[in-house]
PDB file of all heavy atoms in Angstrom:
ATOM      1  N   LEU A   1     102.391 108.394 104.557  1.00 96.00           N
ATOM      2  CA  LEU A   1     101.283 107.867 103.763  1.00 96.00           C
ATOM      3  C   LEU A   1     101.645 107.826 102.281  1.00 96.00           C
ATOM      4  O   LEU A   1     101.257 106.894 101.562  1.00 96.00           O
ATOM      5  CB  LEU A   1     100.025 108.695 103.994  1.00 96.00           C
ATOM      6  CG  LEU A   1      99.374 108.537 105.371  1.00 96.00           C
ATOM      7  CD1 LEU A   1      98.145 109.448 105.492  1.00 96.00           C
ATOM      8  CD2 LEU A   1      98.988 107.088 105.644  1.00 96.00           C
ATOM      9  N   ALA A   2     102.395 108.815 101.816  1.00 96.00           N
ATOM     10  CA  ALA A   2     102.833 108.814 100.418  1.00 96.00           C
ATOM     11  C   ALA A   2     103.778 107.646 100.160  1.00 96.00           C
ATOM     12  O   ALA A   2     103.667 106.958  99.127  1.00 96.00           O
ATOM     13  CB  ALA A   2     103.518 110.140 100.084  1.00 96.00           C
ATOM     14  N   MET A   3     104.708 107.396 101.076  1.00 97.00           N
ATOM     15  CA  MET A   3     105.646 106.279 100.914  1.00 97.00           C
ATOM     16  C   MET A   3     104.921 104.932 100.905  1.00 97.00           C
ATOM     17  O   MET A   3     105.231 104.053 100.090  1.00 97.00           O
ATOM     18  CB  MET A   3     106.686 106.302 102.032  1.00 97.00           C
ATOM     19  CG  MET A   3     107.728 107.375 101.888  1.00 97.00           C
ATOM     20  SD  MET A   3     108.947 107.295 103.231  1.00 97.00           S
ATOM     21  CE  MET A   3     110.246 108.313 102.531  1.00 97.00           C
ATOM     22  N   VAL A   4     103.967 104.778 101.805  1.00 97.00           N
ATOM     23  CA  VAL A   4     103.203 103.528 101.854  1.00 97.00           C
ATOM     24  C   VAL A   4     102.430 103.340 100.555  1.00 97.00           C
ATOM     25  O   VAL A   4     102.405 102.241  99.977  1.00 97.00           O
ATOM     26  CB  VAL A   4     102.257 103.519 103.076  1.00 97.00           C
ATOM     27  CG1 VAL A   4     101.310 102.330 103.016  1.00 97.00           C
ATOM     28  CG2 VAL A   4     103.069 103.484 104.373  1.00 97.00           C
ATOM     29  N   ALA A   5     101.812 104.404 100.051  1.00 98.00           N
ATOM     30  CA  ALA A   5     101.057 104.329  98.801  1.00 98.00           C
ATOM     31  C   ALA A   5     101.967 103.992  97.620  1.00 98.00           C
ATOM     32  O   ALA A   5     101.539 103.307  96.673  1.00 98.00           O
ATOM     33  CB  ALA A   5     100.329 105.647  98.545  1.00 98.00           C
ATOM     34  N   GLU A   6     103.204 104.447  97.671  1.00 98.00           N
ATOM     35  CA  GLU A   6     104.158 104.172  96.592  1.00 98.00           C
ATOM     36  C   GLU A   6     104.770 102.783  96.682  1.00 98.00           C
ATOM     37  O   GLU A   6     105.467 102.357  95.756  1.00 98.00           O
ATOM     38  CB  GLU A   6     105.259 105.231  96.605  1.00 98.00           C
ATOM     39  CG  GLU A   6     104.784 106.610  96.162  1.00 98.00           C
ATOM     40  CD  GLU A   6     105.804 107.704  96.377  1.00 98.00           C
ATOM     41  OE1 GLU A   6     106.857 107.437  96.994  1.00 98.00           O
ATOM     42  OE2 GLU A   6     105.545 108.844  95.925  1.00 98.00           O
ATOM     43  N   GLY A   7     104.522 102.071  97.779  1.00 98.00           N
ATOM     44  CA  GLY A   7     104.985 100.687  97.869  1.00 98.00           C
ATOM     45  C   GLY A   7     106.092 100.417  98.849  1.00 98.00           C
ATOM     46  O   GLY A   7     106.733  99.361  98.781  1.00 98.00           O
ATOM     47  N   ALA A   8     106.348 101.320  99.798  1.00 98.00           N
ATOM     48  CA  ALA A   8     107.396 101.076 100.795  1.00 98.00           C
ATOM     49  C   ALA A   8     107.047  99.843 101.630  1.00 98.00           C
ATOM     50  O   ALA A   8     105.922  99.678 102.072  1.00 98.00           O
ATOM     51  CB  ALA A   8     107.564 102.283 101.708  1.00 98.00           C
ATOM     52  N   ASP A   9     108.031  98.989 101.841  1.00 98.00           N
ATOM     53  CA  ASP A   9     107.866  97.820 102.706  1.00 98.00           C
ATOM     54  C   ASP A   9     108.204  98.151 104.151  1.00 98.00           C
ATOM     55  O   ASP A   9     107.682  97.530 105.074  1.00 98.00           O
ATOM     56  CB  ASP A   9     108.784  96.686 102.227  1.00 98.00           C
ATOM     57  CG  ASP A   9     108.470  96.261 100.809  1.00 98.00           C
ATOM     58  OD1 ASP A   9     107.523  95.479 100.621  1.00 98.00           O
ATOM     59  OD2 ASP A   9     109.167  96.726  99.879  1.00 98.00           O
ATOM     60  N   VAL A  10     109.108  99.114 104.342  1.00 98.00           N
ATOM     61  CA  VAL A  10     109.585  99.501 105.668  1.00 98.00           C
ATOM     62  C   VAL A  10     109.710 101.018 105.705  1.00 98.00           C
ATOM     63  O   VAL A  10     110.084 101.638 104.704  1.00 98.00           O
ATOM     64  CB  VAL A  10     110.973  98.878 105.984  1.00 98.00           C
ATOM     65  CG1 VAL A  10     111.392  99.180 107.421  1.00 98.00           C
ATOM     66  CG2 VAL A  10     110.990  97.382 105.719  1.00 98.00           C
ATOM     67  N   ILE A  11     109.403 101.619 106.852  1.00 98.00           N
ATOM     68  CA  ILE A  11     109.680 103.039 107.087  1.00 98.00           C
ATOM     69  C   ILE A  11     110.796 103.103 108.127  1.00 98.00           C
ATOM     70  O   ILE A  11     110.702 102.495 109.194  1.00 98.00           O
ATOM     71  CB  ILE A  11     108.441 103.795 107.608  1.00 98.00           C
ATOM     72  CG1 ILE A  11     107.287 103.725 106.591  1.00 98.00           C
ATOM     73  CG2 ILE A  11     108.799 105.250 107.919  1.00 98.00           C
ATOM     74  CD1 ILE A  11     107.553 104.411 105.277  1.00 98.00           C
ATOM     75  N   ASP A  12     111.860 103.834 107.817  1.00 97.00           N
ATOM     76  CA  ASP A  12     113.014 103.964 108.704  1.00 97.00           C
ATOM     77  C   ASP A  12     113.063 105.389 109.238  1.00 97.00           C
ATOM     78  O   ASP A  12     113.226 106.339 108.466  1.00 97.00           O
ATOM     79  CB  ASP A  12     114.304 103.635 107.947  1.00 97.00           C
ATOM     80  CG  ASP A  12     115.518 103.574 108.855  1.00 97.00           C
ATOM     81  OD1 ASP A  12     115.480 102.830 109.851  1.00 97.00           O
ATOM     82  OD2 ASP A  12     116.521 104.266 108.565  1.00 97.00           O
ATOM     83  N   VAL A  13     112.927 105.539 110.550  1.00 96.00           N
ATOM     84  CA  VAL A  13     112.835 106.858 111.173  1.00 96.00           C
ATOM     85  C   VAL A  13     114.117 107.184 111.921  1.00 96.00           C
ATOM     86  O   VAL A  13     114.582 106.401 112.765  1.00 96.00           O
ATOM     87  CB  VAL A  13     111.641 106.918 112.155  1.00 96.00           C
ATOM     88  CG1 VAL A  13     111.468 108.334 112.689  1.00 96.00           C
ATOM     89  CG2 VAL A  13     110.364 106.443 111.491  1.00 96.00           C
ATOM     90  N   GLY A  14     114.677 108.335 111.627  1.00 90.00           N
ATOM     91  CA  GLY A  14     115.867 108.798 112.319  1.00 90.00           C
ATOM     92  C   GLY A  14     115.615 110.120 113.014  1.00 90.00           C
ATOM     93  O   GLY A  14     114.896 110.977 112.489  1.00 90.00           O
ATOM     94  N   ALA A  15     116.226 110.294 114.191  1.00 87.00           N
ATOM     95  CA  ALA A  15     116.033 111.533 114.950  1.00 87.00           C
ATOM     96  C   ALA A  15     117.355 112.157 115.369  1.00 87.00           C
ATOM     97  O   ALA A  15     117.387 113.065 116.194  1.00 87.00           O
ATOM     98  CB  ALA A  15     115.174 111.257 116.180  1.00 87.00           C
ATOM     99  N   CYS A  16     118.441 111.635 114.803  1.00 81.00           N
ATOM    100  CA  CYS A  16     119.778 112.157 115.120  1.00 81.00           C
ATOM    101  C   CYS A  16     120.609 112.062 113.856  1.00 81.00           C
ATOM    102  O   CYS A  16     120.930 110.963 113.406  1.00 81.00           O
ATOM    103  CB  CYS A  16     120.401 111.336 116.260  1.00 81.00           C
ATOM    104  SG  CYS A  16     122.089 111.813 116.686  1.00 81.00           S
ATOM    105  N   SER A  17     120.928 113.195 113.252  1.00 72.00           N
ATOM    106  CA  SER A  17     121.651 113.192 111.985  1.00 72.00           C
ATOM    107  C   SER A  17     123.011 112.515 112.122  1.00 72.00           C
ATOM    108  O   SER A  17     123.735 112.737 113.103  1.00 72.00           O
ATOM    109  CB  SER A  17     121.847 114.618 111.476  1.00 72.00           C
ATOM    110  OG  SER A  17     122.593 114.611 110.277  1.00 72.00           O
ATOM    111  N   THR A  18     123.346 111.683 111.110  1.00 66.00           N
ATOM    112  CA  THR A  18     124.647 111.013 111.105  1.00 66.00           C
ATOM    113  C   THR A  18     125.405 111.331 109.813  1.00 66.00           C
ATOM    114  O   THR A  18     126.277 110.565 109.403  1.00 66.00           O
ATOM    115  CB  THR A  18     124.474 109.483 111.252  1.00 66.00           C
ATOM    116  OG1 THR A  18     123.575 109.014 110.235  1.00 66.00           O
ATOM    117  CG2 THR A  18     123.936 109.133 112.616  1.00 66.00           C
ATOM    118  N   ARG A  19     125.091 112.448 109.187  1.00 62.00           N
ATOM    119  CA  ARG A  19     125.819 112.834 107.981  1.00 62.00           C
ATOM    120  C   ARG A  19     127.275 113.099 108.345  1.00 62.00           C
ATOM    121  O   ARG A  19     127.595 113.420 109.503  1.00 62.00           O
ATOM    122  CB  ARG A  19     125.184 114.080 107.357  1.00 62.00           C
ATOM    123  CG  ARG A  19     125.505 115.361 108.093  1.00 62.00           C
ATOM    124  CD  ARG A  19     124.767 116.565 107.539  1.00 62.00           C
ATOM    125  NE  ARG A  19     125.308 117.806 108.065  1.00 62.00           N
ATOM    126  CZ  ARG A  19     125.074 118.280 109.284  1.00 62.00           C
ATOM    127  NH1 ARG A  19     124.290 117.609 110.113  1.00 62.00           N
ATOM    128  NH2 ARG A  19     125.617 119.417 109.679  1.00 62.00           N
ATOM    129  N   PRO A  20     128.218 112.978 107.392  1.00 61.00           N
ATOM    130  CA  PRO A  20     129.623 113.240 107.699  1.00 61.00           C
ATOM    131  C   PRO A  20     129.821 114.611 108.339  1.00 61.00           C
ATOM    132  O   PRO A  20     129.330 115.620 107.855  1.00 61.00           O
ATOM    133  CB  PRO A  20     130.295 113.164 106.323  1.00 61.00           C
ATOM    134  CG  PRO A  20     129.418 112.250 105.534  1.00 61.00           C
ATOM    135  CD  PRO A  20     128.018 112.541 106.008  1.00 61.00           C
ATOM    136  N   GLY A  21     130.530 114.616 109.471  1.00 54.00           N
ATOM    137  CA  GLY A  21     130.822 115.854 110.172  1.00 54.00           C
ATOM    138  C   GLY A  21     129.739 116.339 111.102  1.00 54.00           C
ATOM    139  O   GLY A  21     129.905 117.367 111.764  1.00 54.00           O
ATOM    140  N   SER A  22     128.632 115.607 111.195  1.00 50.00           N
ATOM    141  CA  SER A  22     127.520 116.057 112.038  1.00 50.00           C
ATOM    142  C   SER A  22     127.828 115.872 113.512  1.00 50.00           C
ATOM    143  O   SER A  22     128.630 115.028 113.898  1.00 50.00           O
ATOM    144  CB  SER A  22     126.242 115.286 111.694  1.00 50.00           C
ATOM    145  OG  SER A  22     126.396 113.909 111.980  1.00 50.00           O
ATOM    146  N   GLU A  23     127.170 116.680 114.339  1.00 59.00           N
ATOM    147  CA  GLU A  23     127.282 116.548 115.787  1.00 59.00           C
ATOM    148  C   GLU A  23     125.984 115.948 116.323  1.00 59.00           C
ATOM    149  O   GLU A  23     124.890 116.351 115.945  1.00 59.00           O
ATOM    150  CB  GLU A  23     127.536 117.924 116.426  1.00 59.00           C
ATOM    151  CG  GLU A  23     128.880 118.531 116.050  1.00 59.00           C
ATOM    152  CD  GLU A  23     129.136 119.842 116.764  1.00 59.00           C
ATOM    153  OE1 GLU A  23     128.330 120.199 117.659  1.00 59.00           O
ATOM    154  OE2 GLU A  23     130.129 120.498 116.436  1.00 59.00           O
ATOM    155  N   SER A  24     126.124 114.969 117.215  1.00 68.00           N
ATOM    156  CA  SER A  24     124.959 114.251 117.715  1.00 68.00           C
ATOM    157  C   SER A  24     124.161 115.094 118.708  1.00 68.00           C
ATOM    158  O   SER A  24     124.729 115.848 119.500  1.00 68.00           O
ATOM    159  CB  SER A  24     125.400 112.958 118.413  1.00 68.00           C
ATOM    160  OG  SER A  24     126.016 112.096 117.497  1.00 68.00           O
ATOM    161  N   VAL A  25     122.833 114.934 118.646  1.00 77.00           N
ATOM    162  CA  VAL A  25     122.004 115.467 119.721  1.00 77.00           C
ATOM    163  C   VAL A  25     122.064 114.471 120.872  1.00 77.00           C
ATOM    164  O   VAL A  25     122.461 113.319 120.707  1.00 77.00           O
ATOM    165  CB  VAL A  25     120.544 115.659 119.263  1.00 77.00           C
ATOM    166  CG1 VAL A  25     120.473 116.663 118.137  1.00 77.00           C
ATOM    167  CG2 VAL A  25     119.918 114.332 118.848  1.00 77.00           C
ATOM    168  N   ASP A  26     121.675 114.908 122.079  1.00 86.00           N
ATOM    169  CA  ASP A  26     121.729 113.976 123.204  1.00 86.00           C
ATOM    170  C   ASP A  26     120.554 113.009 123.145  1.00 86.00           C
ATOM    171  O   ASP A  26     119.600 113.179 122.388  1.00 86.00           O
ATOM    172  CB  ASP A  26     121.775 114.724 124.546  1.00 86.00           C
ATOM    173  CG  ASP A  26     120.558 115.604 124.813  1.00 86.00           C
ATOM    174  OD1 ASP A  26     119.454 115.281 124.315  1.00 86.00           O
ATOM    175  OD2 ASP A  26     120.702 116.606 125.531  1.00 86.00           O
ATOM    176  N   ALA A  27     120.646 111.955 123.961  1.00 89.00           N
ATOM    177  CA  ALA A  27     119.655 110.882 123.935  1.00 89.00           C
ATOM    178  C   ALA A  27     118.266 111.394 124.285  1.00 89.00           C
ATOM    179  O   ALA A  27     117.264 110.938 123.716  1.00 89.00           O
ATOM    180  CB  ALA A  27     120.070 109.767 124.894  1.00 89.00           C
ATOM    181  N   ARG A  28     118.192 112.347 125.202  1.00 91.00           N
ATOM    182  CA  ARG A  28     116.887 112.865 125.611  1.00 91.00           C
ATOM    183  C   ARG A  28     116.181 113.542 124.444  1.00 91.00           C
ATOM    184  O   ARG A  28     114.980 113.324 124.217  1.00 91.00           O
ATOM    185  CB  ARG A  28     117.060 113.850 126.772  1.00 91.00           C
ATOM    186  CG  ARG A  28     115.742 114.426 127.277  1.00 91.00           C
ATOM    187  CD  ARG A  28     115.967 115.356 128.469  1.00 91.00           C
ATOM    188  NE  ARG A  28     116.551 114.647 129.606  1.00 91.00           N
ATOM    189  CZ  ARG A  28     116.850 115.226 130.766  1.00 91.00           C
ATOM    190  NH1 ARG A  28     116.608 116.514 130.938  1.00 91.00           N
ATOM    191  NH2 ARG A  28     117.365 114.530 131.748  1.00 91.00           N
ATOM    192  N   GLU A  29     116.904 114.347 123.684  1.00 89.00           N
ATOM    193  CA  GLU A  29     116.312 115.019 122.528  1.00 89.00           C
ATOM    194  C   GLU A  29     115.939 114.012 121.446  1.00 89.00           C
ATOM    195  O   GLU A  29     114.882 114.124 120.817  1.00 89.00           O
ATOM    196  CB  GLU A  29     117.280 116.065 121.971  1.00 89.00           C
ATOM    197  CG  GLU A  29     116.781 116.786 120.723  1.00 89.00           C
ATOM    198  CD  GLU A  29     115.504 117.587 120.949  1.00 89.00           C
ATOM    199  OE1 GLU A  29     115.224 117.991 122.103  1.00 89.00           O
ATOM    200  OE2 GLU A  29     114.778 117.826 119.963  1.00 89.00           O
ATOM    201  N   GLU A  30     116.806 113.015 121.234  1.00 91.00           N
ATOM    202  CA  GLU A  30     116.508 111.982 120.238  1.00 91.00           C
ATOM    203  C   GLU A  30     115.213 111.246 120.594  1.00 91.00           C
ATOM    204  O   GLU A  30     114.341 111.032 119.748  1.00 91.00           O
ATOM    205  CB  GLU A  30     117.674 110.987 120.147  1.00 91.00           C
ATOM    206  CG  GLU A  30     117.488 109.943 119.055  1.00 91.00           C
ATOM    207  CD  GLU A  30     118.622 108.942 118.983  1.00 91.00           C
ATOM    208  OE1 GLU A  30     119.508 108.954 119.877  1.00 91.00           O
ATOM    209  OE2 GLU A  30     118.621 108.118 118.043  1.00 91.00           O
ATOM    210  N   MET A  31     115.058 110.871 121.862  1.00 92.00           N
ATOM    211  CA  MET A  31     113.854 110.157 122.285  1.00 92.00           C
ATOM    212  C   MET A  31     112.617 111.053 122.199  1.00 92.00           C
ATOM    213  O   MET A  31     111.530 110.587 121.846  1.00 92.00           O
ATOM    214  CB  MET A  31     114.032 109.600 123.695  1.00 92.00           C
ATOM    215  CG  MET A  31     114.914 108.361 123.727  1.00 92.00           C
ATOM    216  SD  MET A  31     114.854 107.438 125.286  1.00 92.00           S
ATOM    217  CE  MET A  31     116.014 108.351 126.270  1.00 92.00           C
ATOM    218  N   LYS A  32     112.781 112.316 122.520  1.00 90.00           N
ATOM    219  CA  LYS A  32     111.653 113.257 122.439  1.00 90.00           C
ATOM    220  C   LYS A  32     111.123 113.329 121.007  1.00 90.00           C
ATOM    221  O   LYS A  32     109.902 113.312 120.772  1.00 90.00           O
ATOM    222  CB  LYS A  32     112.115 114.637 122.915  1.00 90.00           C
ATOM    223  CG  LYS A  32     111.039 115.712 122.892  1.00 90.00           C
ATOM    224  CD  LYS A  32     111.605 117.035 123.387  1.00 90.00           C
ATOM    225  CE  LYS A  32     110.581 118.171 123.283  1.00 90.00           C
ATOM    226  NZ  LYS A  32     111.169 119.469 123.713  1.00 90.00           N
ATOM    227  N   ARG A  33     112.034 113.384 120.045  1.00 91.00           N
ATOM    228  CA  ARG A  33     111.628 113.438 118.646  1.00 91.00           C
ATOM    229  C   ARG A  33     110.975 112.124 118.201  1.00 91.00           C
ATOM    230  O   ARG A  33     109.967 112.126 117.483  1.00 91.00           O
ATOM    231  CB  ARG A  33     112.847 113.722 117.761  1.00 91.00           C
ATOM    232  CG  ARG A  33     113.489 115.082 117.960  1.00 91.00           C
ATOM    233  CD  ARG A  33     114.796 115.188 117.169  1.00 91.00           C
ATOM    234  NE  ARG A  33     115.432 116.491 117.336  1.00 91.00           N
ATOM    235  CZ  ARG A  33     116.608 116.813 116.782  1.00 91.00           C
ATOM    236  NH1 ARG A  33     117.263 115.923 116.041  1.00 91.00           N
ATOM    237  NH2 ARG A  33     117.125 118.012 116.972  1.00 91.00           N
ATOM    238  N   LEU A  34     111.554 111.010 118.618  1.00 94.00           N
ATOM    239  CA  LEU A  34     111.049 109.711 118.188  1.00 94.00           C
ATOM    240  C   LEU A  34     109.695 109.383 118.788  1.00 94.00           C
ATOM    241  O   LEU A  34     108.857 108.744 118.134  1.00 94.00           O
ATOM    242  CB  LEU A  34     112.056 108.605 118.540  1.00 94.00           C
ATOM    243  CG  LEU A  34     113.312 108.561 117.670  1.00 94.00           C
ATOM    244  CD1 LEU A  34     114.353 107.647 118.285  1.00 94.00           C
ATOM    245  CD2 LEU A  34     112.972 108.097 116.246  1.00 94.00           C
ATOM    246  N   GLU A  35     109.456 109.812 120.017  1.00 93.00           N
ATOM    247  CA  GLU A  35     108.205 109.453 120.691  1.00 93.00           C
ATOM    248  C   GLU A  35     106.993 109.936 119.896  1.00 93.00           C
ATOM    249  O   GLU A  35     106.060 109.164 119.626  1.00 93.00           O
ATOM    250  CB  GLU A  35     108.181 110.021 122.108  1.00 93.00           C
ATOM    251  CG  GLU A  35     106.935 109.621 122.873  1.00 93.00           C
ATOM    252  CD  GLU A  35     106.946 110.094 124.329  1.00 93.00           C
ATOM    253  OE1 GLU A  35     107.834 110.900 124.690  1.00 93.00           O
ATOM    254  OE2 GLU A  35     106.062 109.649 125.078  1.00 93.00           O
ATOM    255  N   TRP A  36     107.005 111.207 119.509  1.00 92.00           N
ATOM    256  CA  TRP A  36     105.836 111.712 118.788  1.00 92.00           C
ATOM    257  C   TRP A  36     105.791 111.171 117.362  1.00 92.00           C
ATOM    258  O   TRP A  36     104.706 110.885 116.828  1.00 92.00           O
ATOM    259  CB  TRP A  36     105.795 113.243 118.789  1.00 92.00           C
ATOM    260  CG  TRP A  36     106.837 113.956 117.970  1.00 92.00           C
ATOM    261  CD1 TRP A  36     108.006 114.493 118.414  1.00 92.00           C
ATOM    262  CD2 TRP A  36     106.783 114.234 116.559  1.00 92.00           C
ATOM    263  NE1 TRP A  36     108.696 115.077 117.372  1.00 92.00           N
ATOM    264  CE2 TRP A  36     107.966 114.933 116.228  1.00 92.00           C
ATOM    265  CE3 TRP A  36     105.864 113.954 115.546  1.00 92.00           C
ATOM    266  CZ2 TRP A  36     108.260 115.355 114.929  1.00 92.00           C
ATOM    267  CZ3 TRP A  36     106.150 114.366 114.245  1.00 92.00           C
ATOM    268  CH2 TRP A  36     107.325 115.067 113.951  1.00 92.00           C
ATOM    269  N   ALA A  37     106.968 110.985 116.749  1.00 93.00           N
ATOM    270  CA  ALA A  37     107.003 110.525 115.366  1.00 93.00           C
ATOM    271  C   ALA A  37     106.493 109.092 115.238  1.00 93.00           C
ATOM    272  O   ALA A  37     105.668 108.786 114.364  1.00 93.00           O
ATOM    273  CB  ALA A  37     108.424 110.625 114.820  1.00 93.00           C
ATOM    274  N   LEU A  38     106.964 108.194 116.109  1.00 96.00           N
ATOM    275  CA  LEU A  38     106.540 106.803 116.025  1.00 96.00           C
ATOM    276  C   LEU A  38     105.060 106.660 116.357  1.00 96.00           C
ATOM    277  O   LEU A  38     104.344 105.852 115.746  1.00 96.00           O
ATOM    278  CB  LEU A  38     107.391 105.932 116.948  1.00 96.00           C
ATOM    279  CG  LEU A  38     108.891 105.887 116.630  1.00 96.00           C
ATOM    280  CD1 LEU A  38     109.613 104.951 117.590  1.00 96.00           C
ATOM    281  CD2 LEU A  38     109.139 105.471 115.199  1.00 96.00           C
ATOM    282  N   ALA A  39     104.581 107.440 117.325  1.00 94.00           N
ATOM    283  CA  ALA A  39     103.162 107.399 117.670  1.00 94.00           C
ATOM    284  C   ALA A  39     102.313 107.826 116.473  1.00 94.00           C
ATOM    285  O   ALA A  39     101.273 107.210 116.178  1.00 94.00           O
ATOM    286  CB  ALA A  39     102.881 108.297 118.872  1.00 94.00           C
ATOM    287  N   ALA A  40     102.729 108.855 115.779  1.00 94.00           N
ATOM    288  CA  ALA A  40     101.974 109.342 114.623  1.00 94.00           C
ATOM    289  C   ALA A  40     101.964 108.312 113.498  1.00 94.00           C
ATOM    290  O   ALA A  40     100.926 108.073 112.865  1.00 94.00           O
ATOM    291  CB  ALA A  40     102.569 110.656 114.128  1.00 94.00           C
ATOM    292  N   ILE A  41     103.111 107.683 113.258  1.00 96.00           N
ATOM    293  CA  ILE A  41     103.183 106.680 112.182  1.00 96.00           C
ATOM    294  C   ILE A  41     102.307 105.475 112.513  1.00 96.00           C
ATOM    295  O   ILE A  41     101.558 104.981 111.670  1.00 96.00           O
ATOM    296  CB  ILE A  41     104.640 106.244 111.951  1.00 96.00           C
ATOM    297  CG1 ILE A  41     105.461 107.416 111.411  1.00 96.00           C
ATOM    298  CG2 ILE A  41     104.696 105.066 110.959  1.00 96.00           C
ATOM    299  CD1 ILE A  41     106.949 107.167 111.372  1.00 96.00           C
TER     300      ILE A  41
END
């Protein structure tokens, strides 16, 4: 809500860190995180 109020045109949601050297979570965990997050947004 703060981003939208500040003028964001797009919200980009990530559920699996891709920083240098990071280790990926599995697809099931990624989807579990995204399901509740996208529904809330």
Side-chain angles (χ1 to χ4, degrees):
L1 289 178
M3 286 182 164
V4 171
E6 290 171 353
D9 300 279
V10 186
I11 300 295
D12 188 54
V13 186
C16 177
S17 178
T18 54
R19 76 185 193 283
S22 64
E23 294 184 8
S24 296
V25 298
D26 61 29
R28 181 178 298 180
E29 178 62 25
E30 184 181 8
M31 284 194 277
K32 180 180 176 183
R33 295 172 180 178
L34 286 168
E35 183 176 10
W36 70 262
L38 298 182
I41 294 170

